[in-house]
Amino acid sequence: MVSADIKSQTREQLAVKFAEWGQPDYRVDQLLQWLYTKRVAKWEEMTNLSKPLREHLAAEFALHTHELVRKQGARDTTQKFLWRLHDHALVESVLIPANPALYGEQSDRHTLCVSTQVGCAYGCKFCASGLDGWKRNLEPYEIVEQVTAIERWHDAQPEELERIDGTRKSDRAINNLVIMGMGEPLANYDNLLKALRILNAPWGAGIGARKITISTSGLAPRIRQLAGEPLQFRLAISLHGATDDVRSRIMPVNRKHPIAELAEACAYYQEKKGRMITFEYILIAGINDGLDQVRPLAALARRLNAKVNLIPYNKVDGLKWERPDERSQENFLGALEHQGVIATLRREKGGDIDAACGQLRLKTERELKDAPVKTSR
Ligand code: SAH
Ligand code: SF4
């Protein structure tokens, strides 16, 4: 049997273990520092823990690290990391550079987009992540390790991020998380929440809950459950259609949880949390970019006091969908703003490197069948 990974454990769980072993509580903090501040990859490197304690830990817990199989990204753009997990499954994380135009303020840190599942069961028609179906949920440590692996990469070459986007060197690369990689986060609820508790904790990665955005395709009952959690995460809804007719055509989940039910769950979340929700709306030519969607979208956004992020569709190999031309994108934005909605149109930088979720993995899996892959830039 594979033993539990150390990065799936909360401080409370470790404290119980250490107490059983007759170890003082401050040793737990020493261990956590090795894991989340120094981010070591091996037990032997934890030099202030005694050899017997390290052996005890190694016998009880695994200490997995993700293997980087491919990195993609040009200067000034998003950097994609493709990881191989212990069972050879592939997942990706995307590091989005500090960008004053996107986030409104100059920052020396970055946003990391993390995956929560291998594949996705929800099968949205436009998305690469669902194309090959769902394989499995990620364990808490596999979500946490996407952050620690990037930090380890940054520790090893702090000048790399500076070269990419001109930011200053700092001891941590990441201070924002978006749960928008491969998979439906709320379908892996317990593992996600455990991972986020570890990533948020001061003894863990120390990323503020308000700097963590969870994106969902609209699992209404889970949105209600999330509203009951003590942590104040931001919530983004992948809407992509403002009428059931249009949304069900591209997102099968809408047949199970139609817009009215989703809107009720969002209203509940907002009432409990007092936080603004974001609607993600990909613009796909001829599918959901008609001005007939503007009025219902605006009505929904006004009712829920939600902000709308318009995202031009990123083409996926093998799928017929296209992004509308720039004029149509601007028209849609203008019409929405005219209705009194706060909206942004993402003028994407990452399109050239398969920035939309699931695309690098899909491409790599297909290429791996033919030849080994190399890191590219
Ligand atoms: N399953 C969750 C989170 C992962 S998807 C969700 O659906 O919200 C993250 C975002 O990327 C979603 O808004 C999704 O609709 C969007 N997306 C998927 N494929 C895309 C593509 N080809 N171009 C642009 N955005 C895409
Ligand atoms: Fe899954 Fe989200 Fe892609 Fe839909 S958009 S298939 S829910 S990852």
Side-chain angles (χ1 to χ4, degrees), residues 22-269:
Q23 291 286 339
D25 196 61
Y26 71 87
R27 293 262 179 243
V28 179
D29 296 313
Q30 288 178 325
L31 167 66
L32 291 167
Q33 270 184 0
W34 287 114
L35 293 174
Y36 300 113
T37 309
K38 297 178 188 134
R39 303 176 276 265
V40 298
K42 296 203 172 73
W43 299 111
E44 304 86 85
E45 294 176 59
M46 303 183 181
T47 46
N48 62 359
L49 303 183
S50 68
K51 196 151 181 269
L53 175 55
R54 278 185 268 145
E55 282 168 1
H56 233 117
L57 282 164
E60 181 91 14
F61 298 106
L63 174 54
H64 285 117
T65 51
H66 293 343
E67 181 198 346
L68 182 62
V69 278
R70 192 169 194 177
K71 181 178 159 300
Q72 222 183 24
R75 190 186 161 85
D76 223 19
T77 68
T78 53
Q79 308 288 306
K80 274 209 152 191
F81 295 78
L82 187 74
W83 311 109
R84 186 180 290 125
L85 309 184
H86 67 92
D87 63 349
H88 296 273
L90 297 173
V91 293
E92 53 195 76
S93 314
V94 184
L95 187 62
I96 305 160
N99 184 334
L102 263 181
Y103 300 104
E105 59 188 54
Q106 183 67 52
S107 159
D108 64 344
R109 301 214 189 154
H110 304 77
T111 297
L112 188 71
C113 173
V114 303
S115 295
T116 53
Q117 300 182 310
V118 183
C120 183
Y122 285 80
C124 301
K125 299 277 191 286
F126 48 80
C127 176
S129 291
L131 272 185
D132 285 348
W134 176 86
K135 302 253 162 54
R136 67 175 176 89
N137 283 333
L138 293 189
E139 293 294 318
Y141 79 87
E142 292 175 313
I143 299 172
V144 171
E145 170 64 6
Q146 290 174 59
V147 174
T148 41
I150 300 270
E151 294 289 7
R152 210 176 292 120
W153 168 84
H154 177 59
D155 291 344
Q157 52 208 325
E159 70 293 341
E160 182 72 1
L161 282 183
E162 191 170 341
R163 194 195 58 73
I164 290 165
D165 65 7
T167 53
R168 279 168 285 124
K169 174 186 180 310
S170 61
D171 47 341
R172 281 190 187 188
I174 300 157
N175 74 336
N176 279 293
L177 280 187
V178 290
I179 318 301
M180 291 190 187
M182 198 192 313
E184 168 48 53
L186 298 188
N188 186 14
Y189 191 93
D190 292 344
N191 289 351
L192 171 73
L193 264 283
K194 193 168 192 199
L196 292 184
R197 276 196 287 275
I198 294 168
L199 289 168
N200 167 252
W203 50 259
I207 301 170
R210 288 158 194 272
K211 304 208 172 235
I212 301 177
T213 303
I214 302 175
S215 174
T216 177
S217 59
L219 273 55
R222 295 301 194 178
I223 292 171
R224 287 175 181 272
Q225 188 177 351
L226 194 65
E229 298 289 344
L231 289 175
Q232 298 278 24
F233 302 117
R234 290 175 185 272
L235 183 65
I237 307 291
S238 293
L239 197 64
H240 310 331
T243 56
D244 283 326
D245 176 37
V246 167
R247 194 166 192 263
S248 293
R249 214 182 302 153
I250 52 179
M251 300 182 73
V253 67
N254 195 67
R255 294 193 200 113
K256 191 148 187 228
H257 304 295
I259 291 176
E261 185 191 340
L262 176 58
E264 286 298 318
C266 290
Y268 180 76
Y269 189 87

